[in-house]
């Protein structure tokens, strides 16, 4: 029954006594981040801003309208975002793209407009999602430079 032999305690010969060593200093327990960093060093590195690894999938385009330019004066920026994006994904995408941490993110889901019928055709525009990104005082995003 070799299967049960694995669980039996193995009898070891009594080891020779070691001389008393200096008392060890108490070590702090490793956090999960330190354990992961020790196991995989590439994970421990912080991502630098501007990488844009998935930001282009989350942020589709900035909204440039009268209302969004009025909001710009109070450090709020409006973006069209992916329909599956949530607030955390939008914050990470803003940080990757503009190297600035947003103060808050507000999300608005909008239904596509039903277009009037032209003859026998009737159309509906796509549903989309807008995000209003609130930035801290003194931080501006270079959105209007490319316009």
């Amino acid at each position: 029954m070799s299967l049960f032999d694995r669980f039996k305690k193995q009898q070891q010969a009594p080891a020779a006594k070691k001389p008393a060593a200096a008392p060890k200093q108490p070590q702090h327990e490793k956090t999960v981040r330190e354990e992961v960093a020790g196991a995989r060093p590439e994970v421990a590195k912080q991502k630098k801003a501007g990488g844009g690894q998935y930001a282009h999938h989350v942020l589709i385009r900035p909204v440039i309208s009268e209302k969004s330019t009025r909001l710009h004066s109070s450090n709020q920026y409006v973006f069209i975002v992916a329909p599956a994006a949530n607030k955390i994904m939008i914050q990470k995408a803003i940080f990757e793209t503009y190297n600035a941490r947003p103060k808050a993110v507000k999300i608005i889901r909008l239904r596509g407009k039903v277009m009037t019928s032209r003859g026998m055709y009737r159309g509906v525009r796509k549903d989309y999602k807008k995000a209003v990104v609130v930035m801290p005082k003194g931080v501006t995003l270079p959105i209007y430079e490319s316009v």
Side-chain angles (χ1 to χ4, degrees):
M1 303 263 283
S2 63
L3 180 65
F4 294 111
D5 291 340
R6 292 181 187 170
F7 301 113
K8 289 182 181 178
K9 291 184 180 179
Q10 294 180 355
Q11 305 248 344
Q12 295 180 356
K17 290 186 177 181
K18 294 181 182 178
K24 291 183 179 181
Q25 295 179 357
Q27 294 181 346
H28 72 284
E29 292 184 19
K30 289 186 177 181
T31 61
V32 174
R33 182 173 291 175
E34 290 172 345
E35 288 177 7
V36 170
R40 298 187 308 174
E42 67 274 2
V43 175
K45 297 177 183 176
Q46 282 188 336
K47 293 181 184 176
K48 292 183 179 178
Q53 293 177 9
Y54 80 118
H56 65 281
H57 293 295
V58 176
L59 299 176
I60 296 173
R61 68 176 183 270
V63 175
I64 299 173
S65 63
E66 291 181 15
K67 186 175 182 179
S68 67
T69 51
R70 262 186 290 149
L71 289 174
H72 175 69
S73 63
S74 60
N75 282 351
Q76 296 182 11
Y77 298 89
V78 183
F79 292 92
I80 301 256
V81 296
N86 57 23
K87 292 182 180 187
I88 296 168
M89 292 168 68
I90 295 168
Q91 284 180 342
K92 287 180 182 177
I94 292 289
F95 181 70
E96 281 184 5
T97 307
Y98 299 107
N99 197 12
R101 294 223 182 264
K103 186 177 176 182
V105 175
K106 302 171 188 173
I107 293 178
I108 306 160
R109 293 182 63 204
L110 298 164
R111 288 192 169 219
K113 287 184 180 178
V114 175
M115 302 309 293
T116 58
S117 61
R118 298 172 192 261
M120 63 181 203
Y121 298 107
R122 193 166 195 171
V124 179
R125 290 185 187 167
K126 289 196 309 187
D127 298 345
Y128 61 100
K129 189 182 272 192
K130 283 196 309 188
V132 179
V133 178
V134 181
M135 300 302 287
K137 282 189 175 180
V139 178
T140 57
L141 301 181
I143 291 177
Y144 297 106
E145 292 177 1
S146 63
V147 176

